[in-house]
């Protein structure tokens, strides 16, 4: 039996994301006043994705609790739709985008932080908030994967959705540069047009790889658990 019920964990994680988002939006940062505002940063988009995802998780838990012992088929159908939406968001957005943001941010940060998170930002964003945006996302999503089985969509549909998101964000970044003449991330200023194309293609491939990793990890965790349950039953 878990020390902390997964429903409580999800509620706590949702509250932490709400706190992070509120604190981030309260910061009077020059970048927030420019074209695209906070929505030009993948980190912020990911925070919104994670908050919405865990909000759906909490809503699913509450709906499951309210429909327990209820014979209403309509409520049962609505709960199944909610569970399907939760699982789809986990597979296509929460896991691959969350893992991508954490790994890409810290990889570039360790190499040269000025390319992704200039030291100037330390004057606006405290260290705890930086970790809330770029570190805790990974353990939170792994906790969710470990505590709840998620039904992944067909691989072709899942990869198509992930590619759509990746290409959509890349086009958004390019549009912002077209309008303002400034790249969202300093790293892009140092790349030639040809290298930028390769970089964007590599980013899309990496996000797809993370989607596949999530699918494999989800299946491994829950197939292993089923085997353990069968062993105990014998």
């Amino acid at each position: 039996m878990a020390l902390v019920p997964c429903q409580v964990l999800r509620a706590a994680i949702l509250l932490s994301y709400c706190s992070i988002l509120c604190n981030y939006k309260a910061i009077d940062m020059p970048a927030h006043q420019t074209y695209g505002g906070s929505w030009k940063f993948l980190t912020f988009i990911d925070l919104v994705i994670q908050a919405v995802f865990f909000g759906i998780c909490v809503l699913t838990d509450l709906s499951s609790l309210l429909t327990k012992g209820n014979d209403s088929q309509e409520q049962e159908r609505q709960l199944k739709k909610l569970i399907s939406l939760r699982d789809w968001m986990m597979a296509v957005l929460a896991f691959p985008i969350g893992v991508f943001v954490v790994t890409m941010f810290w990889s570039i940060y360790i190499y040269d932080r000025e390319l992704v998170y200039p030291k100037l930002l330390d004057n606006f964003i405290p260290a705890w908030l930086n970790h809330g945006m770029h570190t805790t996302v990974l353990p939170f999503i792994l906790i969710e994967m470990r505590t709840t089985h998620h039904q992944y969509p067909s691989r072709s549909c899942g990869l198509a959705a992930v590619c759509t998101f990746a290409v959509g964000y890349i086009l958004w970044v390019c549009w912002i540069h077209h309008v303002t003449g400034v790249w969202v991330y300093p790293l892009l200023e140092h790349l030639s047009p040809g290298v930028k194309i390769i970089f964007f293609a590599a980013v899309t491939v990496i996000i797809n790889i993370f989607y596949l990793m999530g699918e494999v990890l989800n299946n491994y965790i829950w197939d292993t658990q089923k085997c353990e349950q069968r062993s105990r039953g014998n």
Side-chain angles (χ1 to χ4, degrees):
M1 186 176 174
L3 292 176
V4 181
C6 57
Q7 295 87 346
V8 175
L9 280 173
R10 290 193 195 101
I13 291 171
L14 174 60
L15 288 173
S16 72
Y17 275 124
C18 290
S19 174
I20 291 166
L21 282 167
C22 288
N23 278 278
Y24 178 74
K25 290 301 288 181
I27 294 171
D28 185 21
M29 209 159 58
H32 290 174
Q33 314 305 323
T34 57
Y35 186 82
S38 303
W39 292 98
K40 58 179 169 282
F41 300 113
L42 186 58
T43 291
F44 179 77
I45 294 172
D46 178 52
L47 286 175
V48 173
I49 287 171
Q50 302 298 332
V52 171
F53 168 67
F54 279 99
I56 292 171
C57 288
V58 171
L59 186 58
T60 302
D61 290 337
L62 290 173
S63 298
S64 181
L65 187 65
L66 292 172
T67 56
K68 208 169 187 179
N70 195 323
D71 294 330
S72 172
Q73 291 186 346
E74 180 58 30
Q75 287 183 340
E76 206 51 50
R77 275 197 296 270
Q78 294 304 320
L79 178 58
K80 285 180 180 176
K81 286 180 182 178
L82 206 52
I83 291 171
S84 295
L85 176 61
R86 179 200 68 186
D87 291 351
W88 185 89
M89 274 205 73
M90 172 68 170
V92 172
L93 295 174
F95 186 88
I97 305 305
V99 175
F100 176 81
V101 165
V102 173
T103 54
M104 186 64 93
F105 174 83
W106 287 112
S107 296
I108 298 175
Y109 186 98
I110 291 168
Y111 174 72
D112 182 356
R113 66 169 295 177
E114 294 299 317
L115 296 175
V116 67
Y117 192 82
K119 205 162 186 176
L120 176 68
L121 292 179
D122 289 343
N123 298 323
F124 300 96
I125 303 175
W128 72 265
L129 187 55
N130 180 26
H131 284 293
M133 296 188 297
H134 298 116
T135 306
T136 58
V137 173
L138 183 56
F140 284 168
I141 206 65
L142 290 176
I143 287 170
E144 171 61 21
M145 181 170 278
R146 179 64 184 84
T147 56
T148 306
H149 177 257
H150 296 275
Q151 187 67 45
Y152 268 62
S154 67
R155 185 165 291 180
S156 57
C157 289
L159 290 174
V162 170
C163 283
T164 300
F165 176 88
V167 172
Y169 180 70
I170 288 168
L171 291 175
W172 171 231
V173 168
C174 292
W175 174 254
I176 291 170
H177 177 261
H178 172 73
V179 172
T180 65
V182 178
W183 287 104
V184 173
Y185 302 103
L187 168 67
L188 296 171
E189 300 282 359
H190 302 278
L191 304 180
S192 65
V195 175
K196 279 190 185 77
I197 292 172
I198 295 171
F199 176 77
F200 288 143
V203 162
T204 304
V205 170
I206 291 169
I207 294 176
N208 277 272
I209 290 171
F210 285 140
Y211 170 85
L212 295 173
M213 281 176 57
E215 183 183 36
V216 170
L217 185 59
N218 180 70
N219 292 337
Y220 173 77
I221 289 171
W222 293 97
D223 286 348
T224 302
Q225 192 169 93
K226 284 176 188 174
C227 290
E228 288 175 354
Q229 287 170 351
R230 286 195 198 108
S231 298
R232 290 195 198 104
N234 293 333

